[in-house]
Amino acid sequence: MKAPAFAYRRPDTVAAALDAFAAAGGDASYIAGGQSLVPALALRLQSPAMLIDISRIEELHGVRLEAGRLRIGALTRHAEALTDPLIARHAPLLHEAAPHVAHPAIRNRGTIGGSVALADPASEFPAMTLAMAAEIEIAGPEGRRRVPADAFFLDLYQTALKPGELLVALHVPAIGPGHRWAFDELARRRGDYALVGAGILAELQDDVVAGIRIAFLSVGPTPLRAMAVEAALTGGPLDAAAIARAQAALDQDLDPLDDDQVPAAMRLHLARVLLGRLLGRLMEAA
Ligand code: FAD
């Protein structure tokens, strides 16, 4: 199938993009890398009267350190998470997750902002914003605001973005000397959406877990933090007994539904196995 007809605008600034959305009476969609939107148009799952191409907006590009935080422009491509040295250094969970996102052709076009704005619960980058305690910068008709990732993902494909608002950038706290991290996922084939995935960012002081954030993908309607597991691990050493306690606590955090791919009990089991592997890697790194 082909996409229905649409008008097309390519503004140069955030303000012009917001104006174009308002002028279309809200019957418009921003397009970034097009790797999710174009298939949706072709399948006629969406039919906005206007596409607003944000790819030429300079402010949405670029990766730089700002006051101890890494600012990652919304238009940063998935592939740049593999190659950008600042992302590798200061947002290593994005770097480690990137090879698992789709395939090279999609990673060359798809943007990190587009992935987070879409908020597919099976996507890697949205979940990693939770693990990294990122803030999401949003521009809208009423001005700018930053929303913590913890408050951004509301429900299935629903975020704190209101209609017409633009995701401008992610702001990620830079990595410190005591930080350790690990990402992995279980998928039927490489490049497929994960059956279960998770990323962990921990801060260790004298081998004790001073802080830890654990985020799962593909286990519910949104990316999810495993807060009972985080509480079980915080304040103690990361050893085999702690890992077993953390795996047992996972039932309190995750309550996946049965679906036609995997029964709920199997998904929970896979999540527990993955959690054990990732914590084991952190223990070895410590
Ligand atoms: P677009 O497709 O351009 O836009 C997606 C949505 O986000 C649209 O609603 C658009 O209006 C909105 N949007 C985009 N940018 C902004 C912004 N700055 N502000 C506000 N709204 C915005 N993803 C994964 O995470 N893991 C996978 O394994 C994976 N596998 C894939 C396999 C295939 C075959 C395909 C086609 C896609 C796959 N994807 C996967 C999705 C891919 O990563 C998309 O690129 C990404 O989800 C969306 O980014 P985009 O820049 O292409 O956004």
Side-chain angles (χ1 to χ4, degrees):
M1 284 175 79
K2 287 186 178 166
F6 50 80
Y8 177 80
R9 298 281 181 279
R10 195 171 61 197
D12 291 331
T13 63
V14 166
L18 298 176
D19 286 348
F21 194 95
D27 191 4
S29 188
Y30 296 122
I31 181 163
Q35 297 305 296
S36 294
L37 185 58
V38 170
L41 296 176
L43 293 168
R44 305 216 168 193
L45 298 172
Q46 290 180 42
S47 50
M50 180 186 290
L51 286 190
I52 303 170
D53 180 348
I54 57 175
S55 62
R56 297 279 174 93
I57 301 178
E58 188 56 39
E59 186 188 345
L60 305 186
H61 287 271
V63 177
R64 59 179 182 270
L65 266 179
E66 276 177 359
R69 291 183 162 243
L70 192 65
R71 180 202 186 273
I72 302 173
L75 290 173
T76 305
R77 303 216 186 259
H78 301 343
E80 290 175 71
L82 287 168
T83 56
D84 187 284
L86 284 173
I87 292 181
R89 169 80 183 82
H90 294 293
L93 283 174
L94 294 183
H95 180 73
E96 291 204 3
H100 299 272
V101 179
H103 306 280
I106 291 159
R107 293 199 291 263
N108 286 339
R109 298 291 312 167
T111 67
I112 294 177
S115 176
V116 174
L118 184 64
D120 186 325
S123 277
E124 288 80 1
F125 295 140
M128 293 311 97
T129 65
L130 281 179
M132 299 183 302
E135 285 184 343
I136 292 143
E137 182 180 344
I138 295 171
E142 279 130 45
R144 300 269 173 140
R145 69 186 198 283
R146 286 192 190 187
V147 177
D150 283 315
F152 185 77
F153 303 103
L154 303 180
D155 205 339
L156 187 63
Y157 294 108
Q158 285 178 39
T159 70
L161 282 168
K162 297 184 198 133
E165 287 190 323
L166 263 180
L167 194 159
V168 173
L170 305 182
H171 297 267
V172 181
I175 288 294
H179 281 120
R180 301 285 181 273
W181 56 87
F183 174 90
D184 212 343
E185 64 182 42
L186 301 170
R188 287 192 198 280
R189 295 170 305 187
R190 189 148 186 111
D192 280 5
Y193 281 103
L195 298 173
V196 175
I200 305 181
L201 183 60
E203 188 175 2
L204 299 180
Q205 286 172 6
D206 301 327
D207 292 338
V208 168
V209 179
I212 188 163
R213 293 176 69 96
I214 304 174
F216 277 89
L217 51 119
S218 278
V219 290
T222 64
L224 283 173
R225 260 180 82 194
M227 295 175 84
V229 173
E230 292 172 6
L233 290 165
T234 303
L238 190 55
D239 54 20
I243 294 175
R245 272 199 311 279
Q247 287 178 299
L250 195 59
D251 291 14
Q252 297 169 52
D253 287 316
L254 305 187
D255 187 18
L257 297 173
D258 283 321
D259 64 32
D260 51 8
Q261 280 204 69
V262 194
M266 170 80 162
R267 204 179 286 272
L268 192 54
H269 172 74
L270 293 176
R272 204 174 285 116
V273 168
L274 186 60
L275 179 67
R277 282 186 195 169
L278 292 174
L279 290 172
R281 273 188 225 162
L282 289 189
M283 185 171 74
E284 281 165 25

